[in-house]
């Protein structure tokens, strides 16, 4: 019994020693591990944490830049921002500035779809003539591009930029809510897009009538040659509506003293319809109107409350491959067309005593219409009736016709004439110099001078004369052809005179606080100047932008409501951009982003992929 008790005491002592050893070893190991972990944490704190912070900051800056582009589509527009957009700051991380740059990708990133040159304001004046002259405050939604200087006042720009070859002299410029000080550029930024009217010649004289019950005068498309023509069509009506189509004004001074609306009136329109809501917007051919002002045409808003409101017409621009909605157009070159035409004979010719007059319809050289003509006599005329042109006869005076007559006389040097009679029997054209017949059947060409417009069907009269010598002779006719070649049509004249002269008169002018004007579309007046005073309740100049030589604007009263040059930027295409985020001078994240749009707004952004430093 005593032996077993002694053995148990020795085992307990051994276990204690082993426990002490185990605790000691574990403690040493834990101490070593804790030291290693502390060293690792210190290493991470000095090496990895800054990189992590920079990546987090870059990611946040990328997201902020995407949001900025969504609210400012011009920064992702490949046409207005062909290079990377200006550097934008997004705060400081560990003493270094975080910045981003947006680079549009492809040729159509967030570009306008329905037309538009710069989607804002482009002034083409050069030299000492300021392109934009402001007194007061004016806002432009879109780019402001000036090939000379911008002077005076305050310019507020949204969703765009400001570029002026002559700089911004005395002008306070704000872009997207921030002061803008880098206005001046080295090369002219504005370009004339070279729009066309779609007309090949001046349209026919326009007509109109006044509806006394509604007091609305409806004026048809066409040429308005004078203020008197406009006043006559308007009559006693207090509202003038230029109906959808193209209206041309050749060198017409037009003082507007009442309400003028161009384009289709909105359903239910009345004199109480608010200004800016009178005509159907959108530019469809059935709805829009375009006013074309040539030569020295000028408009002035006079009186207590005159107004001009034009809902523009979409016109195809072949050079651009798209249509542009244009309410007001100022031609830069003369537009004219030359015409050539051949007249065809209808019924067989007639004439007393002519033998087989039907033979004179076709040139055959064997079958001829003949007539016996005594000395000192004029023949019974051979009448080629029901003569019509191969194409529609223009509604203008043809200054000269030609008649090819295939005929002969048994006596040389007998004479003949050709006369063109209008459908009412009146003489329109006569031979200037009589033709001379030979003894051999031959084609002789004579010219006819016209004194009035031709109205088909025409009747052509051939008449031979015999001098008082020789014997009776036989006149033979084997055909007649009438036509004209390279006759110029009515010309649409380029803007000219003081309207197009630097420092000259204004194409559109206004004074006082009661007058207003507003255009749906892009105003195209690259040779002209607008000089207006605008009240604060002005709706603005245009919905799409303006191409003009000079814009001079004075705003009156308080600046709570700022007149706007371009109201919206139109529908946009989808776009892709690359956004680079930098911390200091190092690029820390680069992302490719696809942007989706709905109309004029960027509605979504999808990050396609990002690269980060290794």
């Amino acid at each position: 019994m005593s032996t077993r008790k002694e053995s148990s005491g020795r085992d307990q002592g051994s276990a204690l020693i082993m426990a002490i050893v185990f605790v000691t070893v574990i403690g040493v190991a834990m101490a070593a591990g804790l030291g290693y972990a502390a060293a690792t944490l210190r290493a991470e704190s000095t090496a990895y944490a800054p990189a992590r912070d920079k990546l987090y900051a870059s990611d946040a800056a990328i997201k902020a830049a995407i949001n900025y582009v969504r609210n400012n589509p011009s920064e992702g527009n490949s046409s207005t921002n062909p290079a990377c957009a200006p550097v934008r700051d997004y705060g400081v991380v560990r003493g270094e500035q975080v910045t981003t740059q947006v680079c549009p990708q492809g040729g159509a990133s967030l570009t306008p779809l329905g037309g538009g040159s710069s989607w804002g304001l482009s002034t083409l004046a050069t030299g000492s003539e300021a392109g934009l002259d402001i007194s007061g405050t004016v806002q432009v939604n879109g780019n402001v591009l000036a090939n000379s200087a911008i002077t005076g006042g305050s310019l507020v720009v949204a969703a765009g930029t400001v570029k002026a070859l002559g700089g911004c002299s005395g002008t306070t410029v704000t872009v997207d809510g921030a002061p803008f000080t880098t206005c001046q550029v080295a090369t002219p930024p504005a370009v004339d897009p070279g729009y066309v009217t779609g007309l090949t010649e001046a349209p026919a004289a326009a007509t109109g009538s006044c509806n006394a019950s509604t007091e609305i005068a409806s004026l048809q498309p066409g040429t308005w040659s004078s203020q008197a023509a406009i006043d006559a069509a308007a009559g006693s009506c207090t509202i003038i509506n230029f109906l959808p189509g193209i209206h041309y004004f050749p060198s017409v001074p037009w003082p507007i003293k009442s309400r003028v609306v161009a384009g289709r009136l909105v359903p239910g329109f009345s004199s109480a319809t608010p200004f800016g809501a009178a005509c159907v917007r959108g530019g469809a051919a059935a709805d829009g109107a375009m006013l074309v002002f040539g030569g020295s045409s000028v408009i002035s808003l006079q009186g207590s409350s005159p107004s001009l409101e034009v809902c523009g017409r979409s016109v195809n621009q072949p050079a651009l491959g798209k249509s542009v909605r244009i309410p007001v157009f100022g031609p830069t070159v003369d537009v004219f067309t030359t015409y050539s035409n051949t007249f065809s004979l209808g019924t067989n010719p007639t004439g007393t005593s002519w033998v087989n007059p039907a033979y004179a319809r076709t040139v055959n050289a064997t079958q001829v219409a003949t007539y016996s003509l005594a000395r000192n006599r004029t023949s019974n005329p051979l009448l080629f009736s029901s003569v019509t042109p191969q194409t529609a006869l223009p509604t203008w005076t043809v200054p000269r016709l030609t008649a090819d007559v295939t005929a002969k006389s048994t006596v040389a040097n007998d004479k003949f004439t050709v006369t063109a009679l209008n459908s009412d029997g009146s003489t329109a054209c006569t031979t200037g110099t009589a033709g001379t017949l030979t003894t051999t059947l031959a084609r002789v060409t004579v010219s006819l001078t016209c004194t009035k417009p031709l109205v088909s069907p025409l009747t052509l009269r051939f008449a031979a004369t015999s001098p008082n010598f020789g014997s009776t002779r036989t006149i033979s006719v084997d055909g007649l052809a009438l036509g004209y070649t390279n006759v110029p049509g009515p010309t649409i004249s380029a803007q000219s005179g003081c309207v197009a002269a630097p420092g000259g008169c204004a194409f559109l002018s206004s004074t006082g606080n009661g007058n207003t004007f507003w255009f749906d579309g892009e105003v195209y007046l690259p040779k002209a100047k607008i000089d207006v005073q605008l009240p604060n309740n002005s709706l603005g100049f245009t919905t799409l932008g303006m191409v003009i030589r000079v814009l001079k604007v004075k705003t009156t009263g308080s600046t709570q409501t700022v007149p706007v040059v371009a109201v919206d930027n139109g529908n946009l295409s989808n776009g892709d951009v690359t956004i680079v985020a930098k911390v200091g001078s190092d690029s820390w994240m680069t992302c490719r982003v696809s942007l989706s749009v709905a109309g004029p707004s960027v509605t979504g952004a999808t990050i396609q992929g990002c690269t980060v430093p290794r």
Side-chain angles (χ1 to χ4, degrees), residues 343-354:
F343 294 80
S344 58
L345 301 177
T347 59
N348 291 327
T350 60
T352 304
S353 301
W354 284 93

Side-chain angles (χ1 to χ4, degrees), residues 276-366:
C279 50
V280 177
R281 296 174 57 174
D287 297 326
M290 183 169 69
L291 309 185
V292 179
F293 295 92
S296 57
S297 292
V298 293
I299 302 174
S300 58
L301 297 173
Q302 300 180 356
S304 59
S305 58
S307 64
L308 174 61
E309 182 176 349
V310 185
C311 287
R313 183 179 183 88
S314 290
V315 179
N316 183 42
Q317 305 299 323
L320 303 181
K322 61 183 179 183
S323 294
V324 176
R325 187 161 74 252
I326 303 175
V328 177
F329 192 106
T332 59
V333 296
D334 292 344
V335 177
F336 64 91
T337 300
T338 58
Y339 289 86
S340 299
N341 207 340
T342 300
F343 294 80
S344 58
L345 301 177
T347 59
N348 291 327
T350 60
T352 304
S353 301
W354 284 93
V355 178
N356 295 322
Y359 292 159
R361 278 194 67 194
T362 57
V363 178
N364 189 306
T366 59

Side-chain angles (χ1 to χ4, degrees), residues 59 62-63 66 103 105 574-579 589-596 604-612:
D59 179 69
I62 291 285
K63 293 176 180 176
I66 292 173
C103 302
Q105 302 297 308
N574 292 325
D576 269 29
V577 297
T578 296
I579 303 177
M589 185 176 292
T590 302
C591 296
R592 179 72 174 249
V593 182
S594 293
L595 303 165
S596 54
T606 303
I607 297 177
Q608 301 296 336
C610 298
T611 59
V612 296

